[in-house]
Amino acid sequence: MIDFKDLDPEDGVQFVESLGMEPFRFYQVMKWIYKKRVEDFEMMTDIPRGMRVLLKENAYISSLKIHSHLTSKDESEKFSFLLHDGFIIESVFIPSERRSTVCISTQVGCRMGCSFCYTGKMGFSRNLTPAEIVNQILYIKDHKKNRLIHNIVIMGMGEPLDNFENLVKSLRIITHQSGLSISPRRITLSTCGILPKIPELLKEFSVNLAISLNASTNEKRNEIMPVNRKYPIDEIIKLCKDLPIGRRRRITFEYVLLGGFNDRESNARMLGKLLSGIRSKVNLIVFNSYPGASFREPEENSIRRFQEILSSMGYTVTIRESRGRDIYAACGQLASFHLKNKQKIS
């Protein structure tokens, strides 16, 4: 049996054709699922009954089962979902006065091993399917009673480009006019820098690119991000200079400030020199501590001075507001207790 939500338009058309149906039937079903939120083939009344029976015999429509739901004092919400095989993933809803954002996961755990990231300490269990990626958005959208979701950020559990095929299929569903109809310009993907996949992704989707840099030298980055040994900083910078970024677009470089490690004035100046020539902005992320963390949060004056130095060098620099810290939903904190202990829920 096929999960219909795993099907992007290319696979979906092939599937319905294999059942003797015309291609447009796939898009009819997409609209029922993603526009009308109907998850029973029997209720899709503009599809002939015989075809509905065929669909039901060969496919099903999945949904996520909620495991826990926590609301922070700042009104952000963390959703933990129980998957069919007992693993748990987490997503975050972040409201504000002008817009709302949903942060979604792409893997159960993460194999990148970044030493400052809670999820990275959990190790890797498996990739999420396209359906499991898309269903996070659908669940939160339904839970918020169809409140308009302005932005999607793909920076929850896992490295998105390490699950490339399923990521691309999910984006085809998320952005398609018969799917969730979310513009790629409202989607931000954060990566630690799996370089060969970045141009491939941007060739199909004009999403906003955020690169998790976190250091300005290979020596420093090697200490906290094992991926740098394969894709070092100089190769990241070269790629970013060569990317065909649109006139009004910029690459975001994320920089987690780790107290006493990479938050000195000299680090800020080196970062500014490193990014010279790239149309970019810098997003400073204050390290959010968690039980057993190897790093400490930076001092307030270090944060402001770091921002001032980069701003004086001509960069647009933001300090990411930390949301959901009291429910471990802030940047780098997503990780299930059960995943941490290598347990499944039976």
Side-chain angles (χ1 to χ4, degrees):
M1 293 280 279
I2 291 176
D3 185 347
F4 202 92
K5 288 182 180 176
D6 276 336
L7 301 175
D8 65 7
E10 182 179 348
D11 291 340
V13 166
Q14 291 178 3
F15 173 66
V16 298
E17 286 182 330
S18 74
L19 299 179
M21 302 179 194
E22 294 178 298
F24 78 90
R25 296 296 182 186
F26 172 73
Y27 299 105
Q28 281 183 299
V29 178
M30 275 192 86
K31 289 176 181 177
W32 279 105
I33 292 174
Y34 300 111
K35 301 295 188 188
K36 300 179 182 179
R37 301 297 296 117
V38 170
E39 298 194 337
D40 183 348
F41 293 120
E42 287 292 339
M43 297 177 65
M44 300 178 184
T45 53
D46 60 352
I47 298 173
R49 177 162 178 74
M51 292 183 182
R52 282 180 269 161
V53 171
L54 265 179
L55 287 168
K56 193 169 185 177
E57 289 174 347
N58 291 276
Y60 65 96
I61 303 169
S62 68
S63 59
L64 286 179
K65 181 179 180 181
I66 191 70
H67 177 257
S68 66
H69 173 216
L70 300 173
T71 302
S72 169
K73 60 187 178 184
D74 64 23
E75 297 186 342
S76 58
E77 301 174 48
K78 182 171 76 170
F79 298 83
S80 296
F81 299 108
L82 178 62
L83 304 181
H84 68 90
D85 53 5
F87 286 116
I88 292 175
I89 57 168
E90 296 178 343
S91 312
V92 182
F93 175 77
I94 308 166
S96 69
E97 289 184 7
R98 295 186 177 180
R99 62 184 185 271
S100 61
T101 299
V102 171
C103 176
I104 60 174
S105 298
T106 53
Q107 295 179 316
V108 181
C110 183
R111 72 172 101 237
M112 297 299 107
C114 299
S115 59
F116 53 85
C117 177
Y118 198 14
T119 308
K121 289 183 176 295
M122 305 301 102
F124 174 79
S125 295
R126 71 169 175 86
N127 287 324
L128 297 187
T129 65
E132 289 168 336
I133 295 171
V134 174
N135 273 333
Q136 295 171 67
I137 304 172
L138 291 174
Y139 185 96
I140 295 174
K141 185 177 176 68
D142 290 345
H143 178 81
K144 303 307 294 183
K145 301 188 185 302
N146 285 314
R147 173 175 173 172
L148 181 62
I149 294 173
H150 298 86
N151 300 308
I152 303 295
V153 291
I154 308 173
M155 54 180 71
M157 297 170 67
E159 162 55 54
L161 298 185
D162 191 38
N163 185 16
F164 190 77
E165 182 178 348
N166 290 340
L167 168 72
V168 167
K169 288 185 176 183
S170 68
L171 285 174
R172 288 172 182 157
I173 296 166
I174 292 167
T175 59
H176 198 276
Q177 61 182 0
S178 297
L180 295 182
S181 300
I182 296 175
S183 168
R185 292 179 177 272
R186 290 167 46 204
I187 299 172
T188 299
L189 181 139
S190 175
T191 176
C192 65
I194 301 182
L195 301 189
K197 297 298 182 183
I198 293 175
E200 192 175 343
L201 178 76
L202 295 181
K203 186 176 180 180
E204 183 170 355
F205 304 101
S206 57
V207 298
N208 300 299
L209 179 65
I211 295 179
S212 186
L213 198 61
N214 309 315
S216 52
T217 67
N218 284 319
E219 181 183 8
K220 281 282 189 184
R221 199 166 190 257
N222 284 342
E223 288 186 50
I224 56 175
M225 299 181 71
V227 71
N228 193 70
R229 295 184 179 91
K230 187 170 184 179
Y231 303 116
I233 286 179
D234 54 331
E235 293 185 14
I236 294 174
I237 297 303
K238 182 180 184 305
L239 175 70
C240 290
K241 288 181 177 180
D242 293 341
L243 285 175
I245 301 298
R247 277 175 149 189
R248 299 182 181 179
R249 309 291 291 279
R250 288 179 291 178
I251 297 172
T252 297
F253 288 94
E254 298 172 316
Y255 194 99
V256 178
L257 289 166
L258 305 168
F261 178 79
N262 65 354
D263 63 338
R264 298 182 176 89
E265 292 186 10
S266 59
N267 300 133
R269 294 190 182 93
M270 290 175 68
L271 180 63
K273 291 178 181 178
L274 182 69
L275 301 182
S276 177
I278 302 175
R279 195 158 58 251
S280 62
K281 61 181 177 180
V282 178
N283 191 355
L284 298 178
I285 302 169
V286 179
F287 174 66
N288 295 299
S289 189
Y290 53 81
S294 304
F295 298 96
R296 60 178 173 83
E297 298 182 11
E299 300 292 333
E300 182 66 28
N301 62 335
S302 297
I303 300 169
R304 296 301 170 188
R305 183 60 183 148
F306 206 99
Q307 182 185 38
E308 288 170 2
I309 290 171
L310 288 173
S311 295
S312 70
M313 297 176 77
Y315 293 99
T316 298
V317 187
T318 59
I319 299 174
R320 182 183 295 175
E321 180 184 2
S322 186
R323 303 290 297 272
R325 297 180 66 178
D326 55 322
I327 56 173
Y328 290 104
C331 181
Q333 291 185 325
L334 289 187
S336 156
F337 167 83
H338 297 279
L339 181 59
K340 177 181 177 181
N341 291 277
K342 301 295 182 182
Q343 298 173 345
K344 291 185 183 182
I345 298 177
S346 56

